[in-house]
Amino acid sequence: MQGLSLKISQQQRLSPQQIQFVKLLQIPTAELAARIEEELEENPALEEGVEIRDSDEFDEKERETVEDLEREELEIGDYLQDDYAGYKMAGDSYDFNEESKERPMATAASAEEYLLMQIGFVLKDEREEMIAHQLIGSLEEDGYLRRNIESIVNDLAFTQGFNTDFVEVENILKKIQALDPAGIGARDLQECLSIQLHRRESDHPTCLLAIRLIDEYFEEFSKKHFVQLQQKLGIDESELKKAINLIKRLNPKPGGAEGGNLAPYLQPDFVVTNQHGKLDIKLNGKNAPELRVSKSFQEMLQTYDQGNKQQKEIKEAVTFIKHKLDAASWFIQAIQQRQGTLLKTMHSIVTQQYDFFLTGDDSSLKPMKMKEIAALIEMDVSTVSRVVSAKSVQTDFGIYPLKYFFSEGITHESGEDVSTREVKNILRDIIEQEPAHEPYPDETLELLLAEKGFVVKRRTVAKYREQLGIPVARLRKKL
């Protein structure tokens, strides 16, 4: 006789309201208006309102937490209250007294605009800018550069009278390949996958194995000679499967499929301005409509409440209306929570990088990790990651992706923590001043950085040099 057993276990699952908040938190401002319009079309209990609520009036105690969104089923009387709070984008960066009340449609940046916006942060002169423009303009819709570099060199010479060479163009291409999305500017599938794997900068055995599969055994991998790969690499089937699954999650077409629109935004999500020495932080929400729960739907529920609740039709109507009212209220609460979380995170970033937002000087950027911001706002690091993802901030010095402000740090011999970005800038300066006929190898660069107080290992020097798009010494040599 087969025995029966009882097993008790705990599982953590996200409620529909939590999932809705997470999705809203991750999308950039340019997509938010479209998401709200979509919800307005689907839920008749949600409508555009006229009530304006400024971020300064949005007290921390009033913000709903994710747990607060999990509500028990309410009685009909609870739906007939008149105090459903309206919603307005917290911290809008425009004057509410404007005569024009029209809302412009949120527009997506083209692939070229998005890449040019990013590349502007790493180019050092107009010469590099001209080459970068030519390369980005040569990308195909899927994000690949299938035109060979020799042809790019010829294009620049014949169309613009600009003389360059293979090495210089390839150096700029490396800088483009360091942009988002990962894999952009690759010349073939192997390079595309390799760029994405190396971008992870992980020492996990599965990631290292995946890198070897792509970089060293791509032909065998592409032909699915898995038994041969196991023998060559000395690994078992489970290890190989883990690496293959990791590779399968990569994006083989980083440019996307719709007209090469790589980015969902160019419109900044935050606006930080210097108001007489004090930084003012606002959410950029001009395109998003105001929201409120429909009073007509509440009145409709009241009408049905006065009818015969035993009738099947009335009972189904009441259930439908309650569901729509709940969904409308939850959506407004999720939007309010999103705005509060975004502002809270941005305030912490500005606090940590205050000197940069005042001066725009890259050297004033401090080492900063997402877990540090997570600790400041008392949230999980995954929340900070979602806030930072695909978001940008407009400053007095230009538009910056939020990821720009996060970097690892090293300790100067004086004991001061220094951002790796500053170390890269110093490394670039050293290489620019090296003798053209005898460029410095990585070992010498390591010693020169040490003389300036930066203790960096040779491997790290090579890594920073590659991230800057600078080739090895033998390729920098000029006669």
Side-chain angles (χ1 to χ4, degrees):
M1 180 177 179
Q2 185 176 3
L4 299 177
S5 62
L6 182 65
K7 182 179 179 181
I8 300 176
S9 63
Q10 287 185 334
Q11 292 183 337
Q12 185 176 11
R13 294 183 178 179
L14 292 176
S15 69
Q17 292 75 43
Q18 290 172 317
I19 294 173
Q20 185 177 63
F21 166 68
V22 167
K23 289 182 177 179
L24 287 172
L25 188 64
Q26 191 158 343
I27 63 175
T29 296
E31 292 182 11
L32 182 62
R35 176 66 185 89
I36 291 175
E37 291 293 343
E38 180 184 329
E39 192 71 20
L40 283 168
E41 291 179 4
E42 293 179 356
N43 190 350
L46 188 68
E47 64 182 18
E48 294 188 42
V50 295
E51 189 173 332
I52 294 174
R53 192 173 187 181
D54 192 65
S55 59
D56 294 334
E57 301 171 3
F58 194 61
D59 191 85
E60 286 290 333
K61 294 180 181 179
E62 297 180 30
R63 290 185 183 136
E64 299 284 348
T65 63
V66 173
E67 291 78 12
D68 293 333
L69 297 179
E70 298 177 6
R71 305 180 350 177
E72 296 180 357
E73 185 176 355
L74 302 178
E75 297 296 327
I76 290 180
D78 294 324
Y79 288 84
L80 305 180
Q81 301 171 3
D82 294 327
D83 59 353
Y84 276 101
Y87 153 72
K88 186 69 190 79
M89 294 287 290
D92 283 348
S93 59
Y94 70 106
D95 186 1
F96 295 117
N97 297 319
E98 291 176 335
E99 292 184 6
S100 173
K101 298 299 180 183
E102 295 182 2
R103 297 190 311 273
M105 293 297 291
T107 57
S110 69
E112 187 170 348
E113 288 173 336
Y114 181 50
L115 291 172
L116 290 175
M117 180 188 73
Q118 296 180 76
I119 197 68
F121 298 123
V122 296
L123 298 178
K124 61 182 181 181
D125 54 36
E126 293 183 4
R127 182 178 180 84
E128 290 192 349
E129 184 178 342
M130 184 172 291
I131 298 174
H133 275 252
Q134 186 70 29
L135 285 168
I136 291 173
S138 300
L139 296 180
E140 298 189 10
E141 290 186 358
D142 55 7
Y144 284 84
L145 179 71
R146 293 191 173 88
R147 190 166 177 77
N148 60 55
I149 292 182
E150 290 85 354
S151 297
I152 301 291
V153 172
N154 292 333
D155 290 344
L156 286 166
F158 293 132
T159 63
Q160 302 184 45
F162 181 88
N163 294 320
T164 181
D165 56 28
F166 182 95
V167 174
E168 187 176 19
V169 174
E170 188 173 44
N171 289 343
I172 303 302
L173 178 59
K174 294 294 183 184
K175 293 184 179 182
I176 292 173
Q177 291 175 346
L179 306 178
D180 288 330
I184 195 70
R187 286 161 284 189
D188 52 40
L189 178 60
Q190 181 181 11
E191 187 174 31
C192 178
L193 299 177
S194 178
I195 291 170
Q196 294 179 60
L197 288 170
H198 283 283
R199 184 80 66 90
R200 292 171 177 262
E201 295 184 3
S202 172
D203 291 330
H204 193 279
T206 301
C207 185
L208 295 176
L209 177 57
I211 290 174
R212 288 196 67 190
L213 286 173
I214 298 301
D215 288 354
E216 302 175 27
Y217 301 97
F218 184 74
E219 184 177 355
E220 292 92 335
F221 172 77
S222 60
K223 292 180 178 179
K224 299 184 178 180
H225 295 168
F226 297 143
V227 176
Q228 186 178 347
L229 285 171
Q230 286 179 233
Q231 294 173 349
K232 286 186 176 181
L233 294 168
I235 56 176
D236 57 33
E237 186 178 356
S238 63
E239 291 176 302
L240 182 61
K241 281 185 177 180
K242 289 179 182 179
I244 292 173
N245 287 334
L246 175 59
I247 294 170
K248 285 181 178 179
R249 292 199 295 268
L250 302 177
N251 183 7
K253 294 183 179 181
E258 297 183 6
N261 285 336
L262 306 177
Y265 73 90
L266 183 62
Q267 172 187 354
D269 301 85
F270 303 91
V271 179
V272 178
T273 54
N274 187 343
Q275 301 290 345
H276 308 292
K278 183 179 179 182
L279 294 176
D280 181 49
I281 306 170
K282 292 181 180 178
L283 272 173
N284 184 13
K286 187 171 182 178
N287 291 340
E290 306 164 19
L291 296 179
R292 68 179 181 186
V293 176
S294 171
K295 291 189 180 296
S296 62
F297 241 65
Q298 298 177 55
E299 293 169 358
M300 190 186 305
L301 183 62
Q302 188 175 20
T303 301
Y304 277 108
D305 186 39
Q306 295 170 354
N308 185 355
K309 300 178 185 176
Q310 300 304 318
Q311 293 184 13
K312 182 180 178 181
E313 294 80 3
I314 293 180
K315 188 174 182 180
E316 289 177 351
V318 168
T319 301
F320 173 79
I321 295 173
K322 286 170 65 177
H323 172 73
K324 291 300 181 181
L325 286 172
D326 264 337
S329 180
W330 286 332
F331 187 76
I332 290 173
Q333 291 172 9
I335 290 286
Q336 290 176 341
Q337 187 182 0
R338 174 189 186 271
Q339 309 305 74
T341 303
L342 288 178
L343 276 174
K344 195 173 183 181
T345 305
M346 193 66 218
H347 272 283
S348 297
I349 293 174
V350 170
T351 299
Q352 294 295 98
Q353 307 289 6
Y354 201 86
D355 291 341
F356 172 83
F357 284 98
L358 279 178
T359 64
D361 184 4
D362 282 357
S363 63
S364 62
L365 284 171
K366 300 176 181 177
M368 186 173 71
K369 299 179 181 179
M370 289 187 187
K371 65 180 181 181
E372 295 173 7
I373 298 299
L376 287 174
I377 64 175
E378 298 180 344
M379 291 185 177
D380 192 83
V381 68
S382 62
T383 301
V384 177
S385 177
R386 290 188 174 95
V387 171
V388 171
S389 176
K391 307 285 195 314
S392 61
V393 55
Q394 179 179 315
T395 71
D396 294 335
F397 319 102
I399 298 177
Y400 292 83
L402 289 193
K403 288 184 178 180
Y404 183 77
F405 304 104
F406 292 89
S407 66
E408 300 292 330
I410 65 172
T411 303
H412 191 270
E413 64 178 10
S414 63
E416 179 184 2
D417 287 336
V418 180
S419 168
T420 55
R421 186 173 288 108
E422 183 176 351
V423 179
K424 290 178 185 178
N425 289 336
I426 293 172
L427 178 62
R428 190 208 305 270
D429 292 339
I430 292 174
I431 293 175
E432 287 177 352
Q433 297 172 16
E434 68 186 359
H437 63 283
E438 192 176 354
Y440 300 135
D442 291 341
E443 293 81 359
T444 304
L445 293 174
E446 177 187 358
L447 296 174
L448 292 173
L449 284 172
E451 290 177 4
K452 294 180 178 292
F454 302 102
V455 180
V456 182
K457 295 186 179 297
R458 189 199 62 79
R459 278 184 59 192
T460 307
V461 171
K463 173 183 170 183
Y464 290 169
R465 177 179 51 71
E466 290 173 0
Q467 290 174 350
L468 290 169
I470 299 173
V472 295
R474 61 183 176 81
L475 295 179
R476 302 199 305 269
K477 187 174 183 180
K478 297 179 182 178
L479 300 177

